[in-house]
Amino acid sequence: MDVDELAQLSAKELHDRAVRYAVRHGDFGFLWDLLKVIPAAEAASGHADETANDLSRVSALLSDALGAGEGELGEALRPIYIDYLARHPDALKNSGEDV
């Protein structure tokens, strides 16, 4: 899939594919990058009150990363998922499996 095809996928599908691939391949760099941008994405999606809480609690960030494919947060993170999946085309294999 190229970037244009990835852009057609829902935020939930992008999230699931990117996180599933990163978990399976031990790509903690991507997961860490995702955790770092979640507070800004929450603020951009109208949830600024959650930003301060997330910055102070790593456990909240981990939980967010695993569930950050839905709603406004998922939409705000679409570019992150598209970029990651475009750089890892083999992540698109076996897309029917859950995270």
Side-chain angles (χ1 to χ4, degrees), residues 10-13 15 41-42 45-47 67-78 81:
S10 70
K12 174 80 170 123
E13 182 69 16
H15 164 270
E42 283 182 333
S45 65
H47 301 280
E70 298 182 29
E72 294 170 348
L73 178 57
E75 291 301 322
L77 293 169
R78 285 177 59 83
Y81 300 135

Side-chain angles (χ1 to χ4, degrees), residues 1 84-93:
M1 267 185 187
Y84 183 72
L85 291 168
R87 289 184 287 116
H88 297 89
D90 54 329
L92 302 171
K93 298 175 186 169

